[in-house]
Amino acid sequence: DARVTQTPRHKVTEMGQEVTMRCQPILGHNTVFWYRQTMMQGLELLAYFRNRAPLDDSGMPKDRFSAEMPDATLATLKIQPSEPRDSAVYFCASGSVRDRGYEQYFGPGTRLTVT
Amino acid sequence: AQSVTQLGSHVSVSEGALVLLRCNYSSSVPPYLFWYVQYPNQGLQLLLKYTSAATLVKGINGFEAEFKKSETSFHLTKPSAHMSDAAEYFCAVSRTGFQKLVFGTGTRLL
């Protein structure tokens, strides 16, 4: 049963610290999305990649957030320095352009709390 | 730009009753529309999708939705609610088949 995995599932950190979240997309999927979910803003796209190249990162605060895909099996989202307003659940999703159903498969999320 | 509006942040139904969750979309091009469900402390799972084929779309767990261009709507229905349907439901739109999703604010089904 192929699934998107995310680590860590929960992270509590102090303001100013660096946070790195990791995502392993489903094997063979060539598109990876990062979403953030908060009570105030709901679900919003931060960035997405196709074939490891960034296609859209307009939703991401550039001064503190960075997203990369070092290889096809790993996507990372980094926040440096972290702030309390970054507290949210961060979801990774993956999919394949060969899938005409256009489904995005979501991971379980990383719940980040910045104190 | 694409957007979706979900009417009602909370909807309460009795077990066995009809479920109706409303979604209206705004799109400058023919949209691709999706309904996702989120159970507590879990990720999102696709219920069903409209990708310009049949306007009545059937999904998992007995849910279905009808694309109505004249009303710019994509409401989600289920004839008979079950306790296990209690979750949060999100309507989403994308401009083409495989681009970013723009989500509605969600409706919690009680």
Side-chain angles (χ1 to χ4, degrees), chain B residues 19-21 35 47-48 63-65 74-78 89:
Chain B
V19 175
L20 171 61
L21 304 182
W35 274 100
L47 275 178
L48 49 80
F63 285 93
E64 63 181 38
F74 191 57
H75 302 330
L76 181 70
T77 61
K78 183 174 180 178
Y89 293 79

Side-chain angles (χ1 to χ4, degrees), chain B residues 41-110:
Chain B
N41 300 314
Q42 294 188 25
L44 280 75
Q45 180 184 8
L46 182 69
L47 275 178
L48 49 80
K49 56 186 179 282
Y50 167 76
T51 57
S52 74
T55 57
L56 181 61
V57 180
K58 294 186 184 298
I60 61 172
N61 301 338
F63 285 93
E64 63 181 38
E66 186 172 8
F67 173 71
K68 291 187 176 180
K69 185 177 179 181
S70 61
E71 299 178 8
T72 61
S73 69
F74 191 57
H75 302 330
L76 181 70
T77 61
K78 183 174 180 178
S80 177
H82 190 271
M83 288 292 288
S84 61
D85 296 327
E88 188 146 22
Y89 293 79
F90 292 92
C91 182
V93 63
S94 70
R95 197 164 76 94
T96 63
F98 215 37
Q99 291 192 358
K100 65 180 182 181
L101 292 171
V102 176
F103 286 91
T105 51
T107 298
R108 187 170 297 277
L109 180 63
L110 305 170

Side-chain angles (χ1 to χ4, degrees), chain A residues 8-9 18 33 65 80 83:
Chain A
R9 292 293 311 277
E18 178 178 298
F33 303 82
F65 284 60
Q80 167 64 17
E83 297 181 0

